Amino acid sequence: MVQIEIDSGSGFCFGVTTAIKKAEEELALGNKLYCLGDIVHNGMECDRLREMGLVTIKHYEMRELHDVKVLLRAHGEPPETYELARKNNIEIIDATCPVVLQLQKRIKRQYDSQNGQIVIFGKRGHAEVLGLVGQTQSSAIVIESFDEVERLDFSRDIYLYSQTTKSLDEYHRIIDYIQSHISPDAHFESFDTICRSVANRMPNISQFASRHDLILFVCGRKSSNGKVLFNECLQVNPNSHLIEDSQEIKPEWLEGIETVGICGATSTPKWLMEQARDAILKMQRP
């Protein structure tokens, strides 16, 4: 019988926990509740909340709504979303993560007071990044990776921020590159805006992955944070598999295995990791 350990540090971050709690409280009152985009990048959890009555909508669908309640998820939204809600008499239940909200305010202050380039290290089109770029009337420059940093204008001032769930190591590489290429006549400032509850998971999950023969990383495939954490597992333990649910577990993965580690992203509910554990135990029964 294989030994199974679920990583105690995996699972919902504070922001996601708060958003889901707000949705559950509103739905428990029997109220109709819309959510602008998937409340979390995990299909199974979205299905659970849909069964409770949560209706997920896209931005274009919100334009047709009036006199309803709409929940804004932890990723945050640009100013025009709040303006649309005001025009359509929509009550906003704001579940924007406090870390993201603070970052939005910092970027807005920077935009209002400076003429330099505001640069955001993040994933283009990601909900959080759209909310950040929206603070600058879409003038901010988004770079997705270290490879894109060279296209900045190093003769002009640069103010660098990061999506809260990006890699801390890669962010520091970008900072070092800018510092070594910026013109002596230009000003450069970087702001450490990576969420520590996420960043601290990197060394923790690395240690966890090294302790086991097999790693099952339970995560929605749309999760940016999940991709980063899974790649960390893969570097430490090549015998790591990303799965969305327990049905994807293959019995042959367990052949010759003594220990299995189950972990996940900040968007992975504990119950989903427990399902994976139970599926393995079922496979082990004679």
Side-chain angles (χ1 to χ4, degrees):
M1 184 71 73
V2 299
Q3 298 296 311
I4 305 169
E5 181 186 5
I6 295 178
D7 177 29
S8 60
S10 290
F12 289 153
C13 63
F14 170 79
V16 172
T17 299
T18 301
I20 288 174
K21 184 179 178 184
K22 285 187 176 185
E24 288 173 335
E25 287 173 350
E26 195 64 34
L27 293 168
L29 297 173
N31 296 327
K32 179 96 172 182
L33 181 63
Y34 296 89
C35 181
L36 190 55
D38 290 338
I39 193 168
V40 62
H41 288 151
N42 186 282
M44 303 287 283
E45 182 68 3
C46 288
D47 288 344
R48 183 184 74 85
L49 290 166
R50 189 180 303 116
E51 289 174 4
M52 292 178 65
L54 185 66
V55 180
T56 301
I57 57 169
K58 299 184 184 299
H59 284 79
Y60 73 87
E61 293 174 303
M62 183 174 168
R63 296 189 201 111
E64 307 301 319
L65 296 177
H66 296 79
D67 310 310
V68 296
K69 291 185 178 183
V70 174
L71 183 138
L72 303 185
R73 55 199 177 158
H75 303 90
E77 284 291 323
E80 51 262 35
T81 298
Y82 294 87
E83 179 60 22
L84 174 63
R86 187 189 65 77
K87 286 180 180 177
N88 288 10
N89 195 37
I90 292 171
E91 181 182 339
I92 290 292
I93 298 176
D94 201 339
T96 303
C97 171
V99 178
V100 174
L101 197 58
Q102 187 63 29
L103 174 53
Q104 287 184 347
K105 290 176 180 177
R106 290 176 72 172
I107 290 176
K108 179 70 164 64
R109 285 197 300 269
Q110 191 76 57
Y111 175 74
D112 290 342
S113 63
Q114 299 290 345
N115 294 319
Q117 302 165 91
I118 293 178
V119 180
I120 298 168
F121 171 44
K123 182 180 178 183
R124 288 185 194 88
H126 187 279
E128 181 188 328
V129 174
L130 292 174
L132 300 178
V133 172
Q135 309 304 315
T136 69
Q137 295 188 1
S138 300
S139 67
I141 300 166
V142 177
I143 58 173
E144 290 200 345
S145 67
F146 173 78
D147 295 336
E148 296 183 16
V149 68
E150 61 186 25
R151 67 185 182 88
L152 299 178
D153 184 351
F154 296 104
S155 67
R156 296 177 58 215
D157 295 350
I158 297 175
Y159 300 91
L160 178 68
Y161 299 84
S162 175
Q163 179 181 340
T164 59
T165 54
K166 292 294 278 184
S167 163
L168 197 55
D169 288 342
E170 191 170 11
Y171 189 52
H172 285 149
R173 285 182 68 205
I174 291 170
I175 291 170
D176 291 343
Y177 187 93
I178 296 173
Q179 284 175 333
S180 63
H181 287 77
I182 192 86
S183 165
D185 299 322
H187 179 70
F188 171 55
E189 278 188 72
S190 63
F191 304 90
D192 190 348
T193 55
I194 292 176
C195 176
R196 283 304 180 269
S197 77
V198 175
N200 290 341
R201 293 193 183 195
M202 292 288 280
N204 292 340
I205 211 159
S206 178
Q207 291 176 9
F208 180 81
S210 69
R211 294 204 303 265
H212 296 285
D213 301 326
L214 168 68
I215 290 294
L216 295 181
F217 190 89
V218 187
C219 172
R221 288 187 169 85
K222 289 195 284 185
S223 170
S224 296
N225 158 255
K227 289 173 186 172
V228 172
L229 290 172
F230 174 65
N231 284 333
E232 185 70 15
C233 288
L234 208 53
Q235 284 186 18
V236 174
N237 187 338
N239 196 20
S240 298
H241 299 273
L242 190 150
I243 61 171
E244 283 200 308
D245 62 57
S246 58
Q247 294 180 3
E248 296 181 29
I249 301 172
K250 297 179 180 178
E252 55 264 32
W253 292 349
L254 302 173
E255 292 175 7
I257 295 299
E258 293 184 4
T259 66
V260 177
I262 300 173
C263 49
T266 57
S267 54
T268 304
K270 288 282 188 186
W271 63 264
L272 209 48
M273 290 184 279
E274 290 167 354
Q275 271 192 1
R277 175 201 62 199
D278 295 344
I280 294 171
L281 290 173
K282 190 174 181 180
M283 290 175 184
Q284 295 293 294
R285 288 180 194 138

